[in-house]
Amino acid sequence: MITFMNNSDSEEEPCNERTSLMSAESPPVPSYQDGLQASEAGEAQAHRKRRTGSSRSPNNIADGETSDTGVPVRESATSENEEEELTLKYGAKHVIMLFVPVTLCMIVVVATIKSVRFYTEKNGQLIYTPFSEDTPSVGQRLLNSVLNTIIMISVIVVMTVFLVLLYKYRCYKFIHGWLILSSLMLLFLFTYIYLGEVLKTYNVAMDYPTLFLVIWNFGAVGMICIHWKGPLQLQQAYLIMISALMALVFIKYLPEWSAWVILGAISIYDLMAVLCPKGPLRMLVETAQERNEPIFPALIYSSAMMWTVGMAKPDTPARRPSQQTRDAAEDGREDHGSPSHADSQMSETRSPVPTRPITSLDELEEEERGVKLGLGDFIFYSVLVGKAAATASGDWNTTLACFVAILIGLCLTLLLLAVFKKALPALPISITFGLVFYFSTDNLVRPFMDTLASHQLYI
Amino acid sequence: AFFWLVSLLLSSLIWFIAVKASDSRDVPLQKGLLIFGVMFSVLLQETFRFLYYKLLRKAIEGLVALSEDGCSPISIQQMAYVAGVGFGLMSGAFSMINLLADALGPGTVGIHGDSQLYFLTSAFMTMVLIFLHTFWGILFFHGCEHRRWWEITAVVVMHLAVSGSTFCNPLYVGSLVPSYILMAVAAAWAYLLSGGSAQNLRRFLLCK
């Protein structure tokens, strides 16, 4: 059996990434003076981070009054009702802001799965899932998949705890290096493989110099965008692309039953790690909040335009008010997942792009609040939909049903986020819906619809 | 869309159980079961439309309570339209998408003696169903709002009629023509209920 040996940790990293919806208020981080902060952003892919977001700003006046921002949080002035209304008003916008990237990622994954044969061929398994599923009996196969799941989940737990410990003991350089290495591998190696397979499928010839140029540019711009500064949309696009690449790798290398059991187990783990008081991700978020640092922007997809992130350079005090964390503080819905690096860079990129020059605090109340979703969430949603597309007897109905189920789960999670106002795991509800719909659609709806279609009956 | 999907799920569950419990070689029985499945599915869809109406009602009450000036940012008519469109899109997607995927590949339509207009009529049927779902959404919600039960029963009866007419396929005259007529009726009805009138229409067409 050929196993895919990863030469870096990045393979695990994606596994470790966990998304949690964070209720925003990422502590605005004034202390970006050391470059170490920036490194946090990188590693996200593999790490699941759960960030427990603080709840809405009115309740977190203390958070808002960080000295660095220098902007006193005046949330207390707004009544609870107004906050609620603002929440609901922006709620729909946030939901849409998250629907679009999740949909895009899924579309890319499904399109690739349906067209490129490579990702549905079985060419070995990862070392994290050593047990094969080619066993003669059903019981043995089930046992193997459960064992694979246990191994995978424990790897993820270990990596997450390791990351939390590193963060706690301020080993920022190490985290930074790790994140950079993993995103390097994703951006260069996986893109090269992907491009190669796509070109093979469509029988397009490309010479090596062109290939080198394309991949070099793609990778270099990606590294800069994700770990440093870049236009928001480009960064979002890169995050979506790397999530899709990671999801494709999972779809290819995870055996079937193991994939489903892993999806289920991951959502349970997600639930526990975010909500239990001793969960690693919750501790991560709380530590970050205590230190008033944004959490690993590199692992988070953020959709906000004007949410405040700590200023990376303190020498722009004029812009500070406009980027206050008030937004972050008021952010009711943050799902964290994207690389934390983005945070530091985001503030940089935000500053030169004020859509409205905001100078007073009061105006900040109306700023757009962003939502943050962890990249791990993207990856696992796409894995579910991709597996549905790959293995559901060539049926598009199943894929569509899973897609709708995941989006509805995301909506519900965001609703809960608005209600509870703290970081929430984004995986459980969506994955549960997705799994339920996948199995039921594949087994129950498909024969029904096929029979209806063959008689051309309409319901 | 999600609600339609759930109703589809439940109805296929019922049908599946019925099929498994019955003799699969008995063709008329299977056909009968299929018809039963279709009718039951239609009823379930309308039930879920009603449940969705209840849910949206609660949501509107919540929004009204929270808003500053006592009216919600989105009206029940808009919600009715959106609900109808959602149902329609989901039903259309589920009907057509496998067909479209197969249409991309090689093949000949109707090679075994079936109708050659299969794709075309499927497309038209799907289109009429999507429109109908949208209009039914508006009519249904309006009926629920104003407690006019006859409107609701009219919607259910129309849906049953359209589904029933598809049993005439491949005699497409029997299914497409009544469906389009019903769609025109439903369109006019929904338009009038939403506040339109012949005058508005004339003004719109003459670009005044």
Side-chain angles (χ1 to χ4, degrees):
Chain A
M1 171 169 86
I2 309 168
T3 54
F4 178 86
M5 295 296 291
N6 331 303
N7 41 14
S8 85
D9 284 341
S10 8
E11 234 358 78
E12 303 151 41
E13 284 164 359
C15 310
N16 297 328
E17 197 169 66
R18 196 90 40 171
T19 55
S20 45
L21 295 183
M22 286 239 316
S23 41
E25 132 267 353
S26 12
V29 195
S31 49
Y32 265 90
Q33 317 212 334
D34 50 345
L36 297 175
Q37 301 277 6
S39 52
E40 289 168 4
E43 263 292 68
Q45 251 89 56
H47 293 283
R48 289 194 199 196
K49 296 194 185 98
R50 289 216 191 199
R51 309 205 199 300
T52 49
S54 50
S55 11
R56 302 218 58 234
S57 39
N59 310 328
N60 296 339
I61 302 212
D63 290 316
E65 297 178 282
T66 52
S67 48
D68 31 293
T69 60
V71 173
V73 175
R74 305 236 178 88
E75 264 91 50
S76 45
T78 57
S79 70
E80 189 63 34
N81 229 13
E82 277 180 32
E83 289 296 341
E84 294 264 354
E85 184 186 337
L86 284 172
T87 312
L88 286 176
K89 222 199 291 180
Y90 290 119
K93 209 179 294 187
H94 289 171
V95 170
I96 301 296
M97 282 203 277
L98 278 188
F99 267 19
V100 173
V102 172
T103 311
L104 277 176
C105 192
M106 288 198 231
I107 287 178
V108 168
V109 170
V110 170
T112 311
I113 293 271
K114 287 285 185 189
S115 55
V116 178
R117 290 266 146 256
F118 173 73
Y119 287 103
T120 39
E121 291 161 8
K122 302 250 39 158
N123 272 345
Q125 297 181 194
L126 297 172
I127 50 169
Y128 306 108
T129 52
F131 294 95
S132 155
E133 282 194 8
D134 288 332
T135 55
S137 74
V138 170
Q140 181 75 8
R141 188 173 186 183
L142 197 61
L143 182 70
N144 278 356
S145 54
V146 170
L147 289 173
N148 278 341
T149 310
I150 292 176
I151 294 177
M152 188 76 139
I153 300 281
S154 34
V155 164
I156 291 172
V157 170
V158 163
M159 302 304 306
T160 312
V161 168
F162 184 50
L163 181 74
V164 171
L165 284 176
L166 284 178
Y167 188 67
K168 238 183 155 84
Y169 294 113
R170 300 179 189 266
C171 308
Y172 295 133
K173 279 204 162 68
F174 189 88
I175 296 178
H176 191 35
W178 191 1
L179 287 178
I180 286 198
L181 208 64
S182 77
S183 43
L184 254 176
M185 188 174 114
L186 266 177
L187 280 172
F188 286 101
L189 181 65
F190 285 174
T191 311
Y192 170 70
I193 294 176
Y194 179 76
L195 202 60
E197 291 306 321
V198 169
L199 291 175
K200 259 191 242 174
T201 308
Y202 290 107
N203 213 12
V204 173
M206 188 183 261
D207 52 314
Y208 275 115
T210 314
L211 185 74
F212 175 71
L213 203 66
V214 166
I215 295 213
W216 170 251
N217 278 320
F218 180 80
V221 175
M223 288 304 286
I224 293 176
C225 255
I226 296 174
H227 296 276
W228 196 45
K229 307 182 201 188
L232 176 67
Q233 258 138 348
L234 197 60
Q235 186 190 39
Q236 290 174 336
Y238 268 105
L239 290 175
I240 293 176
M241 280 191 271
I242 53 183
S243 307
L245 284 174
M246 204 59 230
L248 283 170
V249 165
F250 272 138
I251 294 174
K252 179 171 170 65
Y253 287 111
L254 284 180
E256 288 199 24
W257 290 21
S258 306
W260 298 114
V261 183
I262 284 177
L263 277 173
I266 280 266
S267 33
I268 298 177
Y269 167 65
D270 203 43
L271 198 64
M272 291 193 323
V274 171
L275 296 179
C276 290
K278 278 298 170 191
L281 292 176
R282 186 172 177 148
M283 282 178 13
L284 186 72
V285 170
E286 282 167 3
T287 318
Q289 283 178 352
E290 279 164 33
R291 296 184 196 166
N292 280 329
E293 294 162 359
I295 300 174
F296 292 123
L299 291 175
I300 305 180
Y301 174 93
S302 77
S303 54
M305 294 315 290
M306 294 276 254
W307 47 277
T308 58
V309 183
M311 295 295 292
K313 303 234 163 51
D315 54 31
T316 52
R319 289 199 292 247
R320 208 173 282 197
S322 61
Q323 291 167 341
Q324 274 332 326
T325 43
R326 274 214 16 168
D327 265 2
E330 302 217 9
D331 225 309
R333 332 158 173 216
E334 306 267 296
D335 306 330
H336 292 263
S338 50
S340 43
H341 274 301
D343 274 338
S344 47
Q345 280 84 39
M346 286 279 207
S347 52
E348 295 282 5
T349 55
R350 290 290 169 287
S351 25
V353 195
T355 51
R356 10 181 189 171
I358 292 181
T359 48
S360 76
L361 266 178
D362 298 327
E363 296 174 32
L364 287 176
E365 290 212 30
E366 292 154 43
E367 276 189 13
E368 310 270 338
R369 315 248 168 80
V371 216
K372 289 194 244 170
L373 182 64
L375 278 196
D377 290 332
F378 275 90
I379 293 177
F380 282 105
Y381 292 161
S382 309
V383 166
L384 195 143
V385 175
K387 269 284 184 208
T391 63
S393 332
D395 194 34
W396 283 87
N397 284 344
T398 320
T399 315
L400 200 59
C402 288
F403 169 70
V404 171
I406 288 182
L407 286 185
I408 294 286
L410 193 62
C411 265
L412 278 176
T413 317
L414 286 171
L415 203 69
L416 284 179
L417 190 65
V419 167
F420 287 115
K421 303 194 173 76
K422 55 186 204 129
L424 288 179
L427 281 181
I429 301 182
S430 289
I431 299 276
T432 317
F433 275 5
L435 287 175
V436 163
F437 271 81
Y438 170 74
F439 286 112
S440 51
T441 312
D442 200 29
N443 297 321
L444 297 175
V445 175
R446 194 173 41 88
F448 188 44
M449 291 306 284
D450 283 344
T451 327
L452 286 181
S454 64
H455 289 105
Q456 220 172 4
L457 299 177
Y458 283 85
I459 53 167
Chain B
F2 181 67
F3 273 70
W4 186 89
L5 206 59
V6 176
S7 83
L8 178 67
L9 198 73
L10 288 175
S11 47
S12 15
L13 177 68
I14 304 283
W15 178 80
F16 191 76
I17 293 174
V19 164
K20 285 298 175 199
S22 70
D23 180 13
S24 57
R25 282 176 303 275
D26 188 2
V27 172
L29 178 64
Q30 291 302 310
K31 187 105 200 229
L33 275 181
L34 199 62
I35 294 178
F36 159 72
V38 168
M39 293 300 159
F40 191 71
S41 173
V42 167
L43 291 174
L44 260 183
Q45 280 179 43
E46 298 303 325
T47 315
F48 270 83
R49 212 198 289 269
F50 182 68
L51 289 175
Y52 193 53
Y53 164 75
K54 282 262 169 250
L55 185 72
L56 286 181
R57 200 92 197 76
K58 285 229 178 73
I60 279 202
E61 279 161 20
L63 282 174
V64 164
L66 288 175
S67 76
E68 290 171 342
D69 51 358
C71 34
S72 89
I74 177 169
S75 73
I76 190 80
Q77 284 95 344
Q78 284 171 318
M79 284 194 187
Y81 175 70
V82 169
V85 169
F87 265 55
L89 280 179
M90 233 14 221
S91 123
F94 261 67
S95 312
M96 270 311 269
I97 203 160
N98 278 332
L99 236 60
L100 289 173
D102 286 336
L104 281 177
T108 311
V109 186
I111 196 170
H112 288 293
D114 299 313
S115 161
Q116 287 181 330
L117 297 172
Y118 186 77
F119 281 155
L120 214 54
T121 48
S122 299
F124 278 114
M125 198 65 209
T126 311
M127 183 175 84
V128 84
L129 255 189
I130 296 177
F131 278 136
L132 275 173
H133 269 292
T134 315
F135 300 137
W136 285 335
I138 300 177
L139 293 172
F140 195 90
F141 277 44
H142 185 263
C144 289
E145 277 289 300
H146 299 270
R147 301 267 179 274
R148 292 200 203 147
W149 306 116
W150 61 275
E151 275 185 21
I152 299 174
T153 39
V155 168
V156 178
V157 164
M158 264 199 271
H159 196 167
L160 283 171
V162 168
S163 280
S165 72
T166 59
F167 291 139
C168 303
N169 284 341
L171 183 67
Y172 295 120
V173 165
S175 70
L176 279 177
V177 171
S179 308
Y180 273 88
I181 295 176
L182 274 177
M183 183 188 89
V185 166
W189 194 359
Y191 182 67
L192 289 172
L193 280 183
S194 310
S197 66
Q199 279 180 336
N200 281 351
L201 196 61
R202 207 181 304 133
R203 261 190 252 139
F204 167 72
L205 288 173
L206 298 176
C207 294
K208 284 222 185 98

PDB file of all heavy atoms in Angstrom, chain B residues 105-117:
ATOM      1  N   GLY B 105     -23.873  14.600 -21.777  1.00  0.00           N
ATOM      2  CA  GLY B 105     -23.157  13.451 -22.301  1.00  0.00           C
ATOM      3  C   GLY B 105     -23.739  12.981 -23.618  1.00  0.00           C
ATOM      4  O   GLY B 105     -24.705  13.535 -24.136  1.00  0.00           O
ATOM      5  N   PRO B 106     -23.154  11.937 -24.159  1.00  0.00           N
ATOM      6  CA  PRO B 106     -23.644  11.444 -25.442  1.00  0.00           C
ATOM      7  C   PRO B 106     -24.939  10.665 -25.263  1.00  0.00           C
ATOM      8  O   PRO B 106     -25.206  10.137 -24.200  1.00  0.00           O
ATOM      9  CB  PRO B 106     -22.517  10.517 -25.906  1.00  0.00           C
ATOM     10  CG  PRO B 106     -21.890  10.050 -24.657  1.00  0.00           C
ATOM     11  CD  PRO B 106     -22.034  11.158 -23.644  1.00  0.00           C
ATOM     12  N   GLY B 107     -25.718  10.607 -26.307  1.00  0.00           N
ATOM     13  CA  GLY B 107     -26.938   9.818 -26.217  1.00  0.00           C
ATOM     14  C   GLY B 107     -27.962  10.269 -27.225  1.00  0.00           C
ATOM     15  O   GLY B 107     -27.834  11.320 -27.843  1.00  0.00           O
ATOM     16  N   THR B 108     -28.972   9.464 -27.369  1.00  0.00           N
ATOM     17  CA  THR B 108     -30.074   9.802 -28.271  1.00  0.00           C
ATOM     18  C   THR B 108     -31.347   9.801 -27.457  1.00  0.00           C
ATOM     19  O   THR B 108     -31.598   8.873 -26.682  1.00  0.00           O
ATOM     20  CB  THR B 108     -30.185   8.749 -29.381  1.00  0.00           C
ATOM     21  OG1 THR B 108     -28.918   8.532 -29.929  1.00  0.00           O
ATOM     22  CG2 THR B 108     -31.141   9.209 -30.453  1.00  0.00           C
ATOM     23  N   VAL B 109     -32.136  10.820 -27.671  1.00  0.00           N
ATOM     24  CA  VAL B 109     -33.361  10.918 -26.888  1.00  0.00           C
ATOM     25  C   VAL B 109     -34.411  10.007 -27.481  1.00  0.00           C
ATOM     26  O   VAL B 109     -34.666  10.015 -28.670  1.00  0.00           O
ATOM     27  CB  VAL B 109     -33.894  12.364 -26.905  1.00  0.00           C
ATOM     28  CG1 VAL B 109     -35.082  12.470 -25.979  1.00  0.00           C
ATOM     29  CG2 VAL B 109     -32.800  13.324 -26.480  1.00  0.00           C
ATOM     30  N   GLY B 110     -35.010   9.211 -26.634  1.00  0.00           N
ATOM     31  CA  GLY B 110     -36.149   8.428 -27.087  1.00  0.00           C
ATOM     32  C   GLY B 110     -35.780   7.257 -27.970  1.00  0.00           C
ATOM     33  O   GLY B 110     -36.577   6.826 -28.794  1.00  0.00           O
ATOM     34  N   ILE B 111     -34.574   6.717 -27.778  1.00  0.00           N
ATOM     35  CA  ILE B 111     -34.165   5.666 -28.700  1.00  0.00           C
ATOM     36  C   ILE B 111     -34.935   4.385 -28.483  1.00  0.00           C
ATOM     37  O   ILE B 111     -35.064   3.561 -29.376  1.00  0.00           O
ATOM     38  CB  ILE B 111     -32.641   5.448 -28.581  1.00  0.00           C
ATOM     39  CG1 ILE B 111     -32.127   4.663 -29.755  1.00  0.00           C
ATOM     40  CG2 ILE B 111     -32.316   4.735 -27.275  1.00  0.00           C
ATOM     41  CD1 ILE B 111     -30.623   4.636 -29.819  1.00  0.00           C
ATOM     42  N   HIS B 112     -35.470   4.212 -27.280  1.00  0.00           N
ATOM     43  CA  HIS B 112     -36.205   2.982 -27.031  1.00  0.00           C
ATOM     44  C   HIS B 112     -37.686   3.134 -27.307  1.00  0.00           C
ATOM     45  O   HIS B 112     -38.490   2.353 -26.821  1.00  0.00           O
ATOM     46  CB  HIS B 112     -36.005   2.555 -25.576  1.00  0.00           C
ATOM     47  CG  HIS B 112     -34.637   2.037 -25.316  1.00  0.00           C
ATOM     48  ND1 HIS B 112     -34.170   0.884 -25.860  1.00  0.00           N
ATOM     49  CD2 HIS B 112     -33.622   2.540 -24.568  1.00  0.00           C
ATOM     50  CE1 HIS B 112     -32.917   0.689 -25.463  1.00  0.00           C
ATOM     51  NE2 HIS B 112     -32.557   1.667 -24.686  1.00  0.00           N
ATOM     52  N   GLY B 113     -38.047   4.137 -28.044  1.00  0.00           N
ATOM     53  CA  GLY B 113     -39.458   4.285 -28.384  1.00  0.00           C
ATOM     54  C   GLY B 113     -40.182   5.300 -27.534  1.00  0.00           C
ATOM     55  O   GLY B 113     -41.368   5.534 -27.722  1.00  0.00           O
ATOM     56  N   ASP B 114     -39.461   5.904 -26.599  1.00  0.00           N
ATOM     57  CA  ASP B 114     -40.119   6.952 -25.822  1.00  0.00           C
ATOM     58  C   ASP B 114     -40.173   8.229 -26.635  1.00  0.00           C
ATOM     59  O   ASP B 114     -39.627   8.313 -27.727  1.00  0.00           O
ATOM     60  CB  ASP B 114     -39.335   7.202 -24.520  1.00  0.00           C
ATOM     61  CG  ASP B 114     -39.287   5.964 -23.674  1.00  0.00           C
ATOM     62  OD1 ASP B 114     -40.350   5.347 -23.507  1.00  0.00           O
ATOM     63  OD2 ASP B 114     -38.201   5.610 -23.206  1.00  0.00           O
ATOM     64  N   SER B 115     -40.801   9.206 -26.064  1.00  0.00           N
ATOM     65  CA  SER B 115     -40.966  10.446 -26.805  1.00  0.00           C
ATOM     66  C   SER B 115     -39.631  11.123 -27.044  1.00  0.00           C
ATOM     67  O   SER B 115     -38.746  11.129 -26.194  1.00  0.00           O
ATOM     68  CB  SER B 115     -41.866  11.370 -26.001  1.00  0.00           C
ATOM     69  OG  SER B 115     -41.702  12.676 -26.451  1.00  0.00           O
ATOM     70  N   GLN B 116     -39.505  11.736 -28.202  1.00  0.00           N
ATOM     71  CA  GLN B 116     -38.258  12.428 -28.498  1.00  0.00           C
ATOM     72  C   GLN B 116     -38.226  13.818 -27.905  1.00  0.00           C
ATOM     73  O   GLN B 116     -37.195  14.457 -27.905  1.00  0.00           O
ATOM     74  CB  GLN B 116     -38.080  12.550 -30.007  1.00  0.00           C
ATOM     75  CG  GLN B 116     -37.717  11.238 -30.632  1.00  0.00           C
ATOM     76  CD  GLN B 116     -37.534  11.389 -32.106  1.00  0.00           C
ATOM     77  OE1 GLN B 116     -38.163  12.247 -32.725  1.00  0.00           O
ATOM     78  NE2 GLN B 116     -36.704  10.567 -32.676  1.00  0.00           N
ATOM     79  N   LEU B 117     -39.350  14.243 -27.419  1.00  0.00           N
ATOM     80  CA  LEU B 117     -39.400  15.604 -26.886  1.00  0.00           C
ATOM     81  C   LEU B 117     -39.150  15.615 -25.392  1.00  0.00           C
ATOM     82  O   LEU B 117     -39.479  16.573 -24.718  1.00  0.00           O
ATOM     83  CB  LEU B 117     -40.780  16.210 -27.150  1.00  0.00           C
ATOM     84  CG  LEU B 117     -41.152  16.363 -28.609  1.00  0.00           C
ATOM     85  CD1 LEU B 117     -42.604  16.780 -28.702  1.00  0.00           C
ATOM     86  CD2 LEU B 117     -40.267  17.406 -29.254  1.00  0.00           C
TER      87      LEU B 117
END
